[in-house]
Amino acid sequence: MQKLIITAAITGAATVPSLTPYLPVTPEEIASSAIEAASAGAAIVHIHARRPEDGFPSSDQTIFEEIVHRIREKSDVIICITTGGSTLMTIEERTAVIPILRPEMCSFNLGSINFALHKSLPAIRTFKYDWEKDYLEKSKDFIFKNTFKDFEHLCRLIKETNTRPELEIYDVGHLYNLDYLVSEGLISPPFHIQFVMGVLGGIRGNPEDLTFLHTKATVLFGSDNFTWSVIGVGASEINLSTMAIHMGGHVRVGLEDNIYIKKGVLAKSNAELVRKIVDLANMLSRDIATPDEARSILGIQNKL
Ligand code: KMH
Ligand code: ZN
């Protein structure tokens, strides 16, 4: 079995600051949390930016530059920049920094969903910032837009910048969208597929959901043509990670996707979540990939 690649998703856009005091918000906090997660065993860090003054999701180039620069000073971890941004951004805003920063990886979302966040509302008693309540409430009626036109834009972008995509699959139809792009010659294997499970609006995080997605990807692309990783959004994070470790997949954890280290207990850092995966991998006799080993598994060449 391949060594286990752990990705740490440091801050995201779906977790609002009022949900947890441990969410990194400023460029300095995001970078130091990423460096700490890498030291704990993450080979990849998935990066979003936020406005430092209030944590609002941002596509600002200078904020991304500061985060990447700070990480690069201290770590050789693979940096994966989001192109998902937040549901309020246009595809142009979401992808603007990729040709400038030329990261080793970027996310590539393969379908439009109603990425609903309103179920987080009851967990918040007092809101730290004005924007948060509205942002969560409005998500009920908001589409995370990833159309075929957007896919074409992203396919061009990853080709031009030689960026390895993390292919985000929120439901089975998204695998068929990927297959369509292959048939049109817009993208070609080997792929790194990320099953994103447990988002309200996409597939849930039950064991049979993961085996189904994995089987479907194998049927469509052939087992030698893709590596895969799983994101269990919310409560399913650790359970799905355990399945992936056992099945030969890879794992993404982090405060972007889940804020709890165990039932009712907030994770104090991204590193704490990564350490839990390292412990599970040790128990299941799966070795952890270093960033360079992950580069070799994922076919990332000549980039840092
Ligand atoms: N927030 C995750 C569920 C992206 O950044 O492109 C999905 C994600 C999307 O990471
Ligand atoms: Zn993300």
Side-chain angles (χ1 to χ4, degrees):
M1 226 181 243
Q2 285 167 342
K3 289 194 177 181
L4 179 72
I5 301 171
I6 304 173
T7 299
I10 305 301
T11 187
T15 308
V16 299
S18 295
L19 280 168
T20 170
Y22 305 112
L23 187 73
V25 165
T26 66
E28 194 176 357
E29 286 166 357
I30 292 169
S32 57
S33 185
I35 294 161
E36 205 198 338
S39 303
I44 304 174
V45 288
H46 171 86
I47 299 294
H48 287 242
R50 290 180 185 269
R51 238 168 21 203
E53 59 274 21
D54 64 359
F56 190 72
S58 170
S59 58
D60 188 295
Q61 184 188 325
T62 55
I63 299 177
F64 271 107
E65 277 171 343
E66 183 178 348
I67 295 167
V68 168
H69 179 70
R70 283 178 182 274
I71 297 172
R72 272 290 158 263
E73 273 184 340
K74 300 239 169 85
S75 174
D76 73 338
V77 69
I78 298 168
I79 297 178
C80 172
I81 303 273
T82 180
T83 67
S86 89
T87 49
L88 302 178
M89 297 172 195
T90 64
I91 189 72
E92 288 76 20
E93 288 168 329
R94 285 159 45 183
T95 53
V97 297
I98 304 299
I100 295 156
L101 295 176
R102 292 182 160 260
E104 290 182 280
M105 296 187 81
C106 70
S107 61
F108 184 144
N109 293 277
L110 275 147
S112 301
I113 61 167
N114 180 183
F115 201 130
L117 304 171
H118 62 280
K119 66 177 178 178
S120 299
L121 279 163
I124 303 173
R125 256 181 254 141
T126 40
F127 285 92
K128 212 164 157 187
Y129 302 111
D130 288 346
W131 61 270
E132 294 174 281
K133 190 161 184 272
D134 210 37
Y135 181 78
L136 297 180
E137 267 167 5
K138 287 209 169 124
S139 72
K140 224 185 224 188
D141 192 34
F142 219 94
I143 303 295
F144 180 34
K145 180 179 112 32
N146 297 289
T147 60
F148 287 94
K149 188 160 175 240
D150 298 336
F151 302 155
E152 286 175 10
H153 173 70
L154 274 158
C155 286
R156 270 195 305 277
L157 189 68
I158 56 169
K159 221 171 254 174
E160 282 164 13
T161 56
N162 187 28
T163 307
R164 192 91 175 99
E166 175 191 65
L167 297 163
E168 316 274 5
I169 303 293
Y170 298 76
D171 223 324
V172 66
H174 301 183
L175 286 171
Y176 287 103
N177 292 349
L178 177 59
D179 189 48
Y180 168 78
L181 298 178
V182 176
S183 72
E184 289 294 297
L186 291 168
I187 194 167
S188 51
F191 302 127
H192 185 57
I193 292 175
Q194 179 93 262
F195 299 123
V196 188
M197 307 179 62
V199 172
L200 183 59
I203 201 164
R204 277 205 188 157
N206 296 311
E208 72 277 12
D209 296 322
L210 178 58
T211 52
F212 174 57
L213 289 177
H214 177 251
T215 303
K216 203 75 239 182
T218 307
V219 170
L220 288 171
F221 309 120
S223 58
D224 292 342
N225 289 322
F226 71 98
T227 49
W228 63 278
S229 172
V230 73
I231 302 174
V233 174
S236 60
E237 182 170 84
I238 302 299
N239 296 29
L240 286 171
S241 298
T242 311
M243 275 184 76
I245 295 168
H246 178 56
M247 289 167 68
H250 304 280
V251 167
R252 173 173 127 175
V253 291
L255 297 170
E256 170 166 350
D257 306 320
N258 162 50
I259 57 173
Y260 295 102
I261 190 72
K262 61 180 181 184
K263 199 171 178 187
V265 181
L266 290 173
K268 292 206 167 50
S269 66
N270 283 294
E272 192 181 14
L273 290 162
V274 171
R275 276 193 291 273
K276 186 152 182 171
I277 299 302
V278 171
D279 289 346
L280 281 167
N282 285 336
M283 279 186 256
L284 296 170
S285 300
R286 183 105 184 256
D287 294 331
I288 307 295
T290 63
D292 275 344
E293 286 165 343
R295 285 183 179 95
S296 146
I297 293 167
L298 299 174
I300 298 171
Q301 288 153 350
N302 306 324
K303 271 190 129 187
L304 195 60

